[in-house]
Amino acid sequence: MRTGPDREKQNIIWNMAGSFCYAFASMILSFVVMRIVGKEQGGVFAFGFSTFGQQMFILAYFGIRPFQVTDGAGEFRFGDYLYHRCLTCGIALLAGAGYLLVCGYSPQKAGTLFLLVCYKVIDGFADVFESEFQRAGHLHLTGKSNTFRTFLSVGVFLAVLMAGCPLLWACGAAVMAQIAGVFLFDILVLGRLEAVNQAGSRKRLMPLTGAVWLLFVSVFLDFYIFSAAKYAIDAYMDDVASGYFNVIFMPTSVINLAAGFVIRPVLTHLTDDWNEKRYPGFVDMLKKISLLIGGLSCLAVALTWLLGKPVLGIMERILGASYTGSLVPYQGAFLLVVLGGGFYAILNLYYYVLVILRQQQVIFWIYVVLTALAAVLAPALVKQAGIMGAALAYLVLMIIMAIGFAGGAWNAYRLGKQK
């Protein structure tokens, strides 16, 4: 393994590559599927891949990553985290299957959605290995896993779909490729890291759950808030509208990708500055990251204001003649979504800051309040204004949540510094 400055360089390069591949695939895949299989099946895939499947990923993931990568003192061993992740992945699969059994979807739609749940849950299982890579100082291995697994699974999925096979078959093939990717790029690679303690104990399940359950509930509610508009469209509109909204929602992935390039590599530095009471360095780095994310978000909004209509027109032409005139009318919603994505990137930064400061209760209560608001606001605005209402609901929720996280983080910093 590389060491010193060379490793740091590899960490940055591969983290960027992995984040880009993962976010690009998440952003563009629904778009490509809509082109290949049409509006309705494309809408089903978009909802399953980016919304419901991702919600089950959150359940499998259990919000542990920030805790694991900042567990520098080794409070829990990798084996403890692995035991816990196996349990949460099993629960996620059961929860996904249970929801689909009672929701009234057609067998084909339910089967497609369940395979996408499996795909995302395997992603959640891989995360425990990738988190350990980062904790051990090998962030480049996390990036490599994200990159190679994404290429493998997405490549197999698209190859099967473009061969003329049904969407259901393509989703099944992607699941098989995802399993192979985890074995090749996570399990085998971790076995080569001598410093990783792979021993684990089931007795540590309860202490670990007790340490992170607020993070899990918070992250689960976070994604519900983030996706409340999509759930409202699935409930009160049709699969076609779901596909359209996912298309105009794609730029949020670009903003979050750019923010991830900045946030991930500095998490351990922020943690060290805080734990070692280097407060000026902590504040200086946090301000720089905030300004950079804010600047990138402003640039994205400005470009959307200037180029939104032409970009939507290009998307229509790429999707095919049947989509002509279907996206351009949503230029205003497109702008609102991009602006909301900027606020989401900011709140993600301060979420991690609150985790570093071990302020899980602050995170939890912000999410509880916003969940209640999202459950009322998103359906009401979607019923009233359709896709435009969904975009407005998303923006309002992101603004309020960003204010809550940033305010909570700076207040926690002030109080923690005085101790």
Side-chain angles (χ1 to χ4, degrees), residues 270-400:
L270 283 171
T271 302
D272 291 342
D273 283 344
W274 177 254
N275 290 338
E276 296 174 18
K277 302 186 185 302
R278 297 195 296 261
Y279 299 128
F282 181 88
V283 171
D284 184 57
M285 183 173 290
L286 187 53
K287 286 181 177 179
K288 287 179 180 178
I289 300 168
S290 300
L291 287 173
L292 185 54
I293 294 175
L296 291 170
S297 299
C298 289
L299 177 61
V301 171
L303 290 174
T304 304
W305 178 271
L306 294 172
L307 304 174
K309 189 172 182 179
V311 168
L312 291 173
I314 292 171
M315 287 181 177
E316 290 177 354
R317 288 193 288 274
I318 294 174
L319 283 170
S322 64
Y323 290 89
T324 301
S326 60
L327 297 177
V328 170
Y330 300 120
Q331 181 184 2
F334 191 45
L335 181 63
L336 294 182
V337 165
V338 171
L339 182 57
F343 282 101
Y344 186 72
I346 287 288
L347 73 88
N348 260 326
L349 169 63
Y350 284 97
Y351 165 83
Y352 279 112
V353 171
L354 285 168
V355 173
I356 291 171
L357 303 182
R358 295 299 189 246
Q359 295 293 317
Q360 289 95 319
Q361 289 191 351
V362 174
I363 296 172
F364 173 76
W365 286 111
I366 291 173
Y367 280 137
V368 167
V369 172
L370 266 294
T371 297
L373 178 61
V376 175
L377 184 67
L381 290 179
V382 167
K383 288 179 185 178
Q384 184 175 355
I387 288 178
M388 186 64 182
L392 180 58
Y394 173 72
L395 173 60
V396 171
L397 292 170
M398 294 307 103
I399 290 174
I400 296 173

Side-chain angles (χ1 to χ4, degrees), residues 132-155:
E132 192 64 21
F133 293 152
Q134 184 174 357
R135 181 168 71 148
H138 297 288
L139 184 59
H140 63 286
L141 296 179
T142 299
K144 287 180 179 180
S145 174
N146 265 329
T147 301
F148 299 143
R149 283 193 305 105
T150 300
F151 270 115
L152 177 62
S153 61
V154 172

Side-chain angles (χ1 to χ4, degrees), residues 33-246:
V33 172
M34 288 176 66
R35 166 78 186 196
I36 297 173
V37 301
K39 299 177 182 180
E40 291 191 6
Q41 286 194 70
V44 170
F45 177 85
F47 176 72
F49 187 79
S50 66
T51 307
F52 182 60
Q54 190 67 17
Q55 190 85 59
M56 293 303 100
F57 164 83
I58 297 297
L59 178 52
Y61 164 78
F62 213 76
I64 287 182
R65 182 175 194 137
F67 187 91
Q68 185 176 350
V69 300
T70 59
D71 184 13
E75 181 181 357
F76 294 95
R77 298 166 297 185
F78 170 70
D80 300 325
Y81 288 109
L82 182 60
Y83 269 128
H84 194 275
R85 192 61 58 94
C86 289
L87 176 63
T88 58
C89 285
I91 292 172
L93 289 174
L94 290 174
Y99 177 84
L100 294 173
L101 284 173
V102 301
C103 67
Y105 292 139
S106 67
Q108 183 179 8
K109 181 174 180 178
T112 300
L113 291 177
F114 181 69
L115 286 173
L116 290 171
V117 166
C118 293
Y119 181 93
K120 288 292 188 175
V121 168
I122 297 167
D123 234 358
F125 180 72
D127 176 78
V128 73
F129 293 90
E130 293 164 5
S131 298
E132 192 64 21
F133 293 152
Q134 184 174 357
R135 181 168 71 148
H138 297 288
L139 184 59
H140 63 286
L141 296 179
T142 299
K144 287 180 179 180
S145 174
N146 265 329
T147 301
F148 299 143
R149 283 193 305 105
T150 300
F151 270 115
L152 177 62
S153 61
V154 172
V156 168
F157 171 79
L158 291 177
V160 173
L161 200 61
M162 288 188 290
C165 296
L167 178 61
L168 189 68
W169 290 19
C171 291
V175 170
M176 294 298 102
Q178 183 81 305
I179 293 171
V182 172
F183 178 74
L184 291 173
F185 308 122
D186 292 310
I187 295 175
L188 291 182
V189 173
L190 189 82
R192 295 170 53 200
L193 299 182
E194 297 179 359
V196 174
N197 187 346
Q198 299 195 44
S201 172
R202 294 178 183 176
K203 295 179 180 179
R204 301 291 285 161
L205 286 176
M206 289 306 296
L208 180 55
T209 302
V212 301
W213 75 271
L214 279 178
L215 284 178
F216 157 65
V217 175
S218 298
V219 173
F220 192 83
L221 295 180
D222 166 75
F223 190 75
Y224 169 74
I225 297 163
F226 178 78
S227 304
K230 294 182 180 181
Y231 278 113
I233 287 176
D234 182 67
Y236 299 106
M237 300 180 73
D238 56 21
D239 291 331
V240 175
S242 184
Y244 289 166
F245 189 70
N246 272 278

Side-chain angles (χ1 to χ4, degrees), residues 10-52:
Q10 290 294 313
N11 283 345
I12 294 171
I13 292 172
W14 279 106
N15 175 63
M16 292 178 66
S19 298
F20 175 81
C21 289
Y22 189 84
F24 184 76
S26 299
M27 177 183 68
I28 206 70
L29 203 51
S30 297
F31 185 81
V32 174
V33 172
M34 288 176 66
R35 166 78 186 196
I36 297 173
V37 301
K39 299 177 182 180
E40 291 191 6
Q41 286 194 70
V44 170
F45 177 85
F47 176 72
F49 187 79
S50 66
T51 307
F52 182 60

